[in-house]
Amino acid sequence: MICFEDEALLGFCCAFPSAGELIKKWKFYETEILTRFAPNFRAAGDKAWNVYSIFLCDSAPTDIERREIAWVEEDLERTRKIAAAGIASREDLTRVLLPVLPIQYQPQLLEGDATERLRKRIRDISPNAAAVALDDDTPAAEVVRLLGERS
């Protein structure tokens, strides 16, 4: 079991040796952990409404086990739940844990002149403002006025 917490949520993650074990024992572990750490959860303030139970295993589930694991996530009692089997890679794990991970998008800036890219974006928005938007001698109010004009 691993416990985790950030500014907005807290919870725990349990790994199981098989999908069958996950299905059979997830509720027991959820109850045990909630009982054991109840004072901590109560002290968490508003985060106590955002407790996650995560149940994982790396073995591939059968079709029936896959449906039963989906039902674990649909159980709305006590905690929010994430349950998955067949976790074979880091990408699988990241996909499953997205609800509790920070936003994963990291924009990549293209090589080249950032000023020229900005000029092009301004030109796309307002051709009238493109010539003066990055000119230090043009008052900001004039740039705003030009950006608002329809071309």
Side-chain angles (χ1 to χ4, degrees):
M1 176 189 70
I2 296 172
C3 295
F4 58 90
E5 179 176 5
D6 70 9
E7 299 80 25
L9 59 88
L10 60 119
F12 54 91
C13 178
C14 298
F16 295 87
S18 69
E21 286 291 304
L22 187 158
I23 293 162
K24 214 180 319 181
K25 295 185 176 177
W26 72 267
K27 193 168 256 189
F28 169 80
Y29 281 99
E30 180 189 41
T31 301
E32 286 295 308
I33 292 165
L34 290 174
T35 301
R36 180 177 175 191
F37 294 105
N40 303 79
F41 291 139
R42 279 193 286 279
D46 289 341
K47 281 192 275 188
W49 294 102
N50 211 10
V51 176
Y52 277 83
S53 301
I54 301 174
F55 306 107
L56 305 172
C57 81
D58 60 358
S59 68
T62 65
D63 289 340
I64 292 170
E65 289 171 333
R66 186 175 287 111
R67 280 193 300 277
E68 290 178 355
I69 289 170
W71 294 338
V72 171
E73 288 192 346
E74 293 174 11
D75 182 302
L76 303 177
E77 292 183 32
R78 302 186 289 197
T79 65
R80 298 170 187 230
K81 293 164 193 73
I82 297 172
I87 307 295
S89 67
R90 181 180 177 93
E91 291 77 24
D92 291 343
L93 184 61
T94 300
R95 179 184 40 76
V96 168
L97 296 179
L98 280 175
V100 296
L101 294 175
I103 294 174
Q104 300 295 302
Y105 178 72
Q106 294 180 352
Q108 300 292 320
L109 293 178
L110 301 172
E111 295 291 325
D113 184 7
T115 304
E116 191 50 45
R117 281 197 309 271
L118 181 56
R119 271 198 184 90
K120 182 183 179 316
R121 298 296 293 270
I122 294 169
R123 196 170 27 255
D124 291 344
I125 296 167
S126 173
N128 294 340
V132 296
L134 300 178
D135 182 356
D136 290 337
D137 295 330
T138 304
E142 177 65 8
V143 174
V144 170
R145 185 187 69 73
L146 290 169
L147 285 169
E149 286 183 358
R150 300 269 182 210
S151 316

